[in-house]
Amino acid sequence: MWRHGKKCVIFAVAAAVLLAAAAAAAVRDERRTYIVHMASSAMPNDFAEHGEWYAASLQSVSDAATVMYTYDTLVHGYSARLTRAEAEALESQPGVLLVNPEVRYELHTTRTPEFLGLDRAEALFPQSNTASDVIVGVLDTGVWPERPSYDDTGFGTVPAGWKGKCEEGNDFNASSCNKKLIGARFFLTGYEAAKGPVDTSKESRSPRDNDGHGTHTSSTAAGSAVRGADLLGYAAGTAKGMAPHARVATYKVCWTGGCFSSDILKAMEVAVTDGVDVLSLSLGGGTADYYRDSIAVGAYSAMERGIFVSCSAGNAGPGAATLSNGAPWITTVGAGTLDRDFPAHVVLGNGKNYSGVSLYSGKPLPTTPVPFIYAGNASNSSMGALCMSGSLIPDKVAGKIVLCDRGTNARVQKGFVVKDAGGAGMLLANTAANGEELVADAHILPGAGVGEKAGDALRAYASSDPNPTASIVFAGTQVGIKPSPVVAAFSSRGPNTVSSGVLKPDMIAPGVNILAAWSGSVGPSVLPGDNRRVGFNIISGTSMSCPHVSGLAALLRAAHQDWSPAAIRSALMTTAYTGYPNGNGILDVATGLPATPLDFGAGHVDPSKATDPGLVYDITAADYLDYLCAINYGPMQIAALTKHSTEACSANHTYAVTALNYPSFSVTFPAAGGTEKHTRTVTNVGQPGTYKVTASAAAGSTPVTVSVEPSTLTFTKAGEKQSYAVSFAAAAMPSGTNGFGRLVWSSDHHVVASPIAVTWT
């Protein structure tokens, strides 16, 4: 028996080894999309053009693969479906810089102009008529062109240099574009290579938006003014984008199964060639070195061509180091709230009242109290409290208001589950994961969301009272909410994990309960069973805050046509505000405490001041190249990212991350403390004047010494540059400690502020 047992063990081990080897071989033989970065200057003389060279390089490692896309503007190279072995063989070939596996990106999913002060846009932006020559390119899920947000009344001829087009496809004709929506394209080669052909019974193989996200973001950035806009009676008023006179071009790169980097990079390249002035991308794919991040790669070359690139920070907050799109040449935007809310009041049978939010519009509940039950007490499933599909017992919930825990499945989907089980209404309770953050939803039955504290009280009441009852009162739209803004809990936070020397996010903008145009294909919840159709929808996410900044950048580009992308970002950052009129700091809804630069960057955008910032921190492509040398990127990595020579970094030059002319300061000390010196140069874009500096930082009650030399800067003319140095010194602190502060240059007419974040590692 022992011998037979030993043989069985040996055979089992051998079989496991063979299975592991087979699995490894299968992985190596499995084809996936790779983006191949080539050194353009290395093309042999045997080839007449780069496309021939690309095809030949591919054929040298694979008989089966074909070129999917060629890239000629933002990067040099191509994409193809390869096995891992073929990709490794290709990477060792002459002229090949990098072979990057494709990445799947995800979407970061009215009153805003008034909240930002843009109802007085003509006074704030005296050159705003030239905004009709500014073109905002939006990479997203496409566009629903029939919405009045794309009305071209009053627009002149399309700018002469525009090279874009309106691509046709099912449900989309060339006539769908006009003098407002001047371009609409779609990109799906990478998507279909990974996921198979698009199912045209579910989504259009065209620029048409069947999701709603792209229509919402593009109309937020630059939608025309639409009177009488609302969602089911909520947020009624005039809806318009940040730059209503700008033109819009949409590039559909996101489909039901996601957004793929080969498509995104090609769309960015085409958009740049078409002639956009601003690129807006409300999507992300986590963090990666910049040379492996297709959005960062494309944005670098776009920046070199003077194009402002704005990206969402992500919805992975409130945890630290959760943001994406952190490259310093990208403007990274977090989310805050508006001063508008959609209150719903919950009244329990014990007389207690709790406040929540809702966008429900339909048949109301009875005027008398309704029986109330906690979903966890109405299910035989361990997941019953979450109101998962099929988890509720109809006999226990019929005719009752059901309390569901938030999480796992979609918020509105829980209402479908309650309704299908015969429930009369739903209350959605936050757990610790969401705290007191409330996001309004267009529920399909009488329903409202409540915070964690209220949820705890509702659960306790439903479980202890022998005959619990409840009612929900919907209070419509309320404005003037204070405090506002607050940082949204979902908004992703710093520090920047790719390079701690650059503070991210850069700023926050409105991203909670934003009203904008919507697709005609789906209901406001986007769920399959939602048959409601609306012209506008209210949704939340850094996906919504990003196009706010994209639109503001378009306004600034129109007002200051000679400003670089870095100058535009600087103006938005140094004029942002970090406190309320009463002097208290902007709050973080996740903690209830004042937010920090790791939460909101420089603060909340203030376009009324950004148009006249006084001073700007400008950054050139050469400065960014020095920065890449400072973070020790190698020749091949820099060439793949920037297309510059593999000898971009000189051995005779000293590079420092602290020399990047960024409008913020990210300072890193070892746990033992120490000193760190930063240098900056400011350019006068205002009137002559003298600026004096104040600067301070602290970690709790422990001060960080901040010294600025010189402490006074005098400018005699516009365009004049002055440099200064900042020295930081700190004592020992436990590893992981953070400190914060501000550096402010003030003159008689301007305040130019920069955030400071200090970390002990």
Side-chain angles (χ1 to χ4, degrees):
M1 288 295 293
W2 178 84
R3 289 192 175 187
H4 288 301
K6 183 175 182 181
K7 286 181 179 179
C8 289
V9 171
I10 292 172
F11 286 142
V13 171
V17 170
L18 289 172
L19 286 172
V27 170
R28 289 183 64 82
D29 291 339
E30 180 184 355
R31 291 192 177 275
R32 61 177 297 185
T33 301
Y34 288 83
I35 298 175
V36 184
H37 294 260
M38 305 288 285
S40 177
S41 59
M43 184 180 75
N45 295 329
D46 300 345
F47 299 99
E49 53 94 18
H50 286 88
E52 295 179 7
W53 180 37
Y54 300 160
S57 75
L58 180 59
Q59 291 167 7
S60 69
V61 300
S62 176
D63 295 329
T66 58
V67 172
M68 294 165 50
Y69 286 123
T70 59
Y71 305 101
D72 302 307
T73 304
L74 301 187
V75 298
H76 294 305
Y78 61 94
S79 57
R81 299 284 287 180
L82 302 168
T83 66
R84 183 187 296 178
E86 290 169 347
E88 290 171 354
L90 192 58
E91 197 160 29
S92 65
Q93 284 196 352
V96 177
L97 297 171
L98 285 174
V99 181
N100 283 338
E102 182 166 62
V103 175
R104 175 180 167 178
Y105 291 78
E106 300 290 345
L107 296 165
H108 287 155
T109 203
T110 136
R111 179 168 171 77
T112 315
E114 288 80 5
F115 181 67
L116 294 176
L118 289 176
D119 51 333
R120 305 179 302 279
E122 293 301 322
L124 295 172
F125 297 91
Q127 305 299 318
S128 59
N129 287 337
T130 63
S132 62
D133 293 327
V134 177
I135 302 163
V136 180
V138 181
L139 274 67
D140 213 295
T141 63
V143 64
W144 195 269
E146 294 81 12
R147 292 302 182 219
S149 296
Y150 307 105
D151 180 25
D152 65 353
T153 300
F155 279 81
T157 57
V158 174
W162 177 244
K163 298 181 179 65
K165 60 186 292 188
C166 205
E167 294 181 345
E168 296 192 342
N170 61 306
D171 301 328
F172 204 95
N173 301 318
S175 60
S176 298
C177 294
N178 56 22
K179 290 181 287 186
K180 171 68 173 182
L181 178 64
I182 63 174
R185 298 181 184 265
F186 64 105
F187 301 82
L188 43 59
T189 301
Y191 175 79
E192 290 191 325
K195 293 289 188 177
V198 165
D199 184 350
T200 54
S201 68
K202 297 181 179 178
E203 58 183 333
S204 302
R205 203 173 190 276
S206 76
R208 184 167 293 280
D209 179 14
N210 305 113
D211 177 272
H213 193 275
T215 301
H216 198 281
T217 55
S218 60
S219 60
T220 297
S224 297
V226 181
R227 294 183 178 179
D230 67 87
L231 169 63
L232 305 174
Y234 289 93
T238 298
K240 62 180 178 179
M242 297 297 95
H245 300 295
R247 320 276 182 154
V248 175
T250 64
Y251 301 84
K252 184 176 179 179
V253 296
C254 296
W255 305 81
T256 300
C259 326
F260 287 78
S261 57
S262 60
D263 295 327
I264 293 168
L265 187 57
K266 187 62 179 179
M268 294 179 77
E269 181 172 272
V270 171
V272 169
T273 302
D274 284 349
V276 302
D277 300 291
V278 175
L279 273 175
S280 186
L281 293 88
S282 290
L283 46 90
T287 58
D289 280 310
Y290 303 137
Y291 57 85
R292 296 199 182 279
D293 182 343
S294 291
I295 292 178
V297 171
Y300 187 95
S301 290
M303 169 276 301
E304 284 190 300
R305 290 163 173 78
I307 297 167
F308 181 94
V309 182
S310 175
C311 293
S312 49
N315 299 337
T322 50
L323 64 80
S324 57
N325 299 316
W329 47 89
I330 291 173
T331 297
T332 312
V333 189
T337 63
L338 290 171
D339 64 340
R340 179 180 64 195
D341 205 358
F342 308 101
H345 304 294
V346 181
V347 182
L348 300 182
N350 62 6
K352 298 290 183 65
N353 297 334
Y354 299 93
S355 295
V357 294
S358 180
L359 295 169
Y360 173 72
S361 177
K363 184 178 178 180
L365 288 166
T367 55
T368 56
V370 177
F372 178 51
I373 191 169
Y374 177 45
N377 299 330
S379 174
N380 292 323
S381 168
S382 60
M383 303 288 281
L386 293 167
C387 295
M388 303 290 286
S389 180
S391 66
L392 298 179
I393 300 172
D395 289 345
K396 290 191 174 183
V397 302
K400 298 178 181 179
I401 295 175
V402 180
L403 176 65
C404 302
D405 287 349
R406 181 175 171 180
T408 307
N409 57 335
R411 298 186 299 271
V412 176
Q413 188 177 39
K414 297 175 188 290
F416 278 93
V417 174
V418 171
K419 185 177 182 181
D420 289 345
M426 179 188 70
L427 289 170
L428 181 63
N430 282 2
T431 60
N434 302 104
E436 298 306 310
E437 179 176 60
L438 297 178
V439 178
D441 292 303
H443 295 289
I444 50 85
L445 82 173
V450 298
E452 181 188 8
K453 294 177 182 177
D456 291 343
L458 293 177
R459 290 186 201 93
Y461 168 69
S463 299
S464 61
D465 193 290
N467 296 295
T469 62
S471 60
I472 308 173
V473 179
F474 303 98
T477 304
Q478 183 177 345
V479 297
I481 299 296
K482 294 181 180 180
S484 61
V486 297
V487 178
F490 62 74
S491 187
S492 292
R493 316 301 172 96
N496 185 346
T497 58
V498 179
S499 176
S500 60
V502 176
L503 177 60
K504 290 284 184 172
D506 292 312
M507 64 197 74
I508 61 169
V512 178
N513 296 333
I514 303 302
L515 178 78
W518 195 244
S519 168
S521 289
V522 292
S525 71
V526 200
L527 295 172
D530 190 350
N531 296 318
R532 298 170 295 179
R533 294 296 179 264
V534 296
F536 291 83
N537 199 9
I538 294 173
I539 56 177
S540 302
T542 56
S543 279
M544 286 62 256
S545 54
C546 167
H548 278 87
V549 169
S550 304
L552 295 178
L555 287 176
L556 290 173
R557 171 58 55 85
H560 303 282
Q561 298 178 48
D562 59 337
W563 280 11
S564 69
I568 292 173
R569 176 180 56 202
S570 174
L572 290 167
M573 289 178 65
T574 61
T575 59
Y577 60 91
T578 60
Y580 304 119
N582 64 7
N584 294 332
I586 289 177
L587 296 177
D588 179 357
V589 73
T591 63
L593 301 173
T596 75
L598 293 177
D599 306 320
F600 57 41
H604 192 284
V605 291
D606 187 350
S608 64
K609 294 181 179 177
T611 188
D612 181 22
L615 306 175
V616 295
Y617 294 82
D618 207 355
I619 308 176
T620 66
D623 296 329
Y624 288 122
L625 194 58
D626 287 350
Y627 162 79
L628 295 175
C629 295
I631 61 174
N632 298 317
Y633 275 13
M636 295 295 193
Q637 298 163 344
I638 290 178
L641 176 57
T642 70
K643 305 190 310 299
H644 288 282
S645 166
T646 56
E647 304 301 324
C649 304
S650 171
N652 299 321
H653 185 82
T654 300
Y655 300 96
V657 170
T658 56
L660 182 66
N661 202 38
Y662 218 73
S664 59
F665 296 89
S666 181
V667 184
T668 303
F669 293 120
T675 61
E676 187 171 285
K677 185 177 181 179
H678 292 237
T679 56
R680 296 290 189 271
T681 299
V682 286
T683 303
N684 182 33
V685 293
Q687 59 203 88
T690 296
Y691 289 79
K692 296 182 179 180
V693 71
T694 58
S696 63
S701 60
T702 303
V704 175
T705 302
V706 185
S707 304
V708 183
E709 181 62 36
S711 59
T712 301
L713 300 175
T714 299
F715 298 89
T716 60
K717 59 183 179 181
E720 185 177 356
K721 298 179 182 293
Q722 297 274 4
S723 298
Y724 67 93
V726 189
S727 297
F728 300 91
M733 293 288 284
S735 179
T737 300
N738 291 313
F740 305 101
R742 277 165 72 83
L743 183 150
V744 181
W745 290 99
S746 302
S747 71
D748 292 338
H749 304 285
H750 298 97
V751 175
V752 185
S754 295
I756 299 170
V758 183
T759 301
W760 283 259
T761 59

